[in-house]
Amino acid sequence: PTLRNQISRVPYLPGLDGLRAVAVAAVMVWHANHSWLQGGFLGVEVFFVISGYLITLLLISEKERSGRVRIGQFWMRRARRLLPALFTMMSALAIYMALFRPRPMGNTRGDLLGGTFYVSNWFQIWVGQAYAAAEDFSPLKHLWSLAVEEQFYLVWPLVMLVLLKRRGDRLPRVALWLLGISLFIALVTALLYVGGESVRGTACTSADSNGYLQVFGRCINVNEALYLSTFSRAGGIMMGAAFAMVWRPVAIMRGPLRRRGRQVDLMALMGMAGLWLLMTRVELFDEFTARYDSQLFRGGFLLTGLCSIAIIAAATHRRSWLGRLLGIRPLNWVGTRSYGLYLYHWPIYQIIRTPGEPLTWSQFAIAMLITLPVTELSYRLIEVPIRTGRLREWLRGQRPARTKEAAQRRRRMLVVVSLFAVLTGFATVTIATADVLCDN
């Protein structure tokens, strides 16, 4: 089909970057201090919905454009998009620990391996690393959500390959099935949630234990597993995927819905209001009562997903006022760098903060003064050049230096990259041989 006839084509949607900005800002505030925005962690659920929507839309578009889905190329694009910044962050963290903070190195070895292979969420469930707990030094705890998304990126294209081959002309019906799966996940999560005070007794099966289950000899916190596991968090992703099958931006603007900008705005404003209420009323865990919030596990995730869908509708509708507002330049800047902001902010928080304590406002300001430039450098020097292939051409000399100064910059950059690689090797060996301590 011609480009003009591709109703599933994915144009650039600045409103989605604006929604990403809102989501990452909420998460960063919550990570700094839970009391500032007690439900800010729900920004991760917004990211899940956006990922489900965009990835599904891209796969449908590729099938429509070329008649097939090239899974290998899809995975390669995802790898170029995600891996360079992740490995840079983990390498820089390893170097910092080897040079300045060697004591907890052995304790972070498992986190580094989990982050490398995108299984951080399962690792944290297995070792009992409570996500909401204020631990001394856990600089890679935030990678659990990236693990969930990467596992989705690995499996979902294979599922879509089958769906598009057998049900490509019945996508609205498939969307209903996916919505049903999302509702089923919400129901199962609500049923498995364990209310009351979360107590780990002398044994998982003992009478003085509540909220824990023994699995292959390990004592697993049920509610933490529901928060971190790929299966229980797939509801938002499936909801986004379902929406992509019935709400394709180009097709919407060719049908009667193109005149419904005001109605879409109204729905999106309700979604924004709902998201704000959820983020200010729902919490993950109350450290004083040792209770997980029942509102979160019994409908909170589902409502967050529905609110996100309402906002995505406006963000992708060209005649939506709210979509244009979300696409303004400051939000666009944050949104396009949301991945880097999410990656770098948490280890920087952990380095700055007093062990086991939330950030103060002054510490938060310092953290932002470090996080923003680091993110920008990562975006301009690592993420964009690698994603577009320019860095590989530059390093191989396929992009000739136009001036003597440019040639000198290239040589200096090669020296910096070589030094970084040597230090990363040193840090890797140091962490691999470090002792695991009971106390960081």
Side-chain angles (χ1 to χ4, degrees):
T2 64
L3 187 63
R4 180 175 297 177
N5 293 327
Q6 291 175 23
I7 62 171
S8 299
R9 182 164 49 91
V10 185
Y12 175 60
L13 302 166
L16 281 185
D17 278 328
L19 182 55
R20 284 195 184 99
V22 172
V24 77
V27 174
M28 290 171 68
V29 169
W30 186 76
H31 278 162
N33 193 317
H34 297 177
S35 65
W36 294 348
L37 188 64
Q38 65 182 28
F41 61 89
L42 288 171
V44 171
E45 187 70 6
V46 178
F47 273 115
F48 287 162
V49 179
I50 294 174
S51 294
Y53 178 77
L54 266 182
I55 294 304
T56 303
L57 199 60
L58 288 169
L59 293 170
I60 295 173
S61 176
E62 184 178 353
K63 172 67 174 179
E64 185 182 81
R65 183 178 65 253
S66 63
R68 57 182 295 190
V69 175
R70 295 175 175 84
I71 294 179
Q73 291 185 13
F74 171 85
W75 284 334
M76 184 59 65
R77 289 194 299 269
R78 289 291 93 195
R80 286 201 302 266
R81 171 71 179 87
L82 301 173
L83 295 182
L86 172 68
F87 290 157
T88 299
M89 182 275 291
M90 291 199 299
S91 297
L93 176 66
I95 292 170
Y96 163 79
M97 294 179 66
L99 295 178
F100 305 108
R101 201 162 183 171
R103 183 172 175 80
M105 286 194 306
N107 298 65
T108 58
R109 184 163 49 232
D111 295 286
L112 286 164
L113 288 172
T116 300
F117 296 103
Y118 280 103
V119 292
S120 295
N121 61 326
W122 297 111
F123 173 77
Q124 290 175 26
I125 291 171
W126 188 249
V127 301
Q129 193 177 94
Y131 182 63
E135 298 175 359
D136 285 347
F137 190 71
S138 51
L140 296 174
K141 190 188 290 188
H142 65 314
L143 295 186
W144 76 270
S145 64
L146 301 183
V148 171
E149 290 204 22
E150 184 64 19
Q151 291 158 32
F152 164 69
Y153 295 150
L154 288 174
V155 174
W156 189 241
L158 300 173
V159 175
M160 283 296 295
L161 189 66
V162 176
L163 291 176
L164 291 173
K165 185 176 182 179
R166 297 186 178 182
R167 303 285 181 179
D169 57 341
R170 300 178 181 178
L171 289 181
R173 182 175 297 182
V174 175
L176 287 176
W177 278 101
L178 294 179
L179 180 60
I181 292 173
S182 183
L183 294 173
F184 177 74
I185 291 171
L187 176 62
V188 172
T189 300
L191 293 174
L192 293 178
Y193 164 76
V194 180
E197 184 179 357
S198 183
V199 179
R200 179 173 178 172
T202 54
C204 283
T205 56
S206 62
D208 59 343
S209 182
N210 182 58
Y212 286 83
L213 182 68
Q214 188 168 330
V215 179
F216 299 115
R218 302 288 296 190
C219 202
I220 303 298
N221 185 317
V222 175
N223 294 333
E224 283 289 337
L226 290 175
Y227 185 81
L228 297 171
S229 82
T230 307
F231 303 115
S232 54
R233 297 308 298 272
I237 296 174
M238 291 296 98
M239 192 178 295
F243 194 56
M245 295 180 180
V246 297
W247 189 273
R248 288 170 274 178
V250 173
I252 290 299
M253 297 312 296
R254 294 183 181 181
L257 286 173
R258 70 179 183 276
R259 302 187 183 94
R260 303 291 184 179
R262 291 184 179 179
Q263 290 86 341
V264 171
D265 276 331
L266 178 60
M267 183 173 61
L269 286 172
M270 294 172 61
M272 291 288 283
L275 201 57
W276 173 253
L277 284 174
L278 287 165
M279 287 186 176
T280 54
R281 301 291 179 86
V282 175
E283 62 182 345
L284 175 56
F285 181 75
D286 189 329
E287 295 182 4
F288 296 103
T289 63
R291 294 173 183 266
Y292 290 85
D293 194 339
S294 61
Q295 298 177 94
L296 174 64
F297 295 91
R298 292 175 175 168
F301 291 128
L302 179 64
L303 289 175
T304 303
L306 292 172
C307 291
S308 301
I309 290 295
I311 304 170
I312 288 173
T316 55
H317 195 291
R318 293 183 182 177
R319 296 185 181 179
S320 162
W321 171 82
L322 185 61
R324 291 193 294 270
L325 180 62
L326 286 171
I328 62 175
R329 185 167 295 181
L331 289 178
N332 183 266
W333 187 92
V334 174
T336 53
R337 293 153 179 79
S338 59
Y339 177 62
L341 287 168
Y342 186 82
L343 270 182
Y344 294 107
H345 84 279
W346 178 252
I348 291 171
Y349 283 8
Q350 289 295 93
I351 292 170
I352 289 176
R353 76 185 348 142
T354 303
E357 296 293 330
L359 291 180
T360 63
W361 282 110
S362 59
Q363 289 175 325
F364 178 69
I366 294 171
M368 289 300 98
L369 289 174
I370 299 172
T371 301
L372 294 177
V374 168
T375 298
E376 182 67 10
L377 287 172
S378 174
Y379 182 77
R380 290 184 177 273
L381 301 181
I382 298 171
E383 297 173 52
V384 172
I386 290 179
R387 188 166 70 240
T388 58
R390 294 202 307 265
L391 182 62
R392 180 178 56 189
E393 295 175 3
W394 185 81
L395 289 174
R396 290 180 176 179
Q398 295 174 0
R399 295 174 67 92
R402 296 182 179 180
T403 64
K404 184 177 181 180
E405 291 77 11
Q408 291 175 345
R409 285 198 300 270
R410 173 178 287 171
R411 287 193 291 270
R412 286 196 295 268
M413 181 61 72
L414 288 173
V415 171
V416 171
V417 171
S418 300
L419 178 61
F420 188 77
V422 171
L423 288 173
T424 298
F426 162 73
T428 301
V429 173
T430 305
I431 290 176
T433 56
D435 295 329
V436 176
L437 304 176
C438 296
D439 181 16
N440 288 358

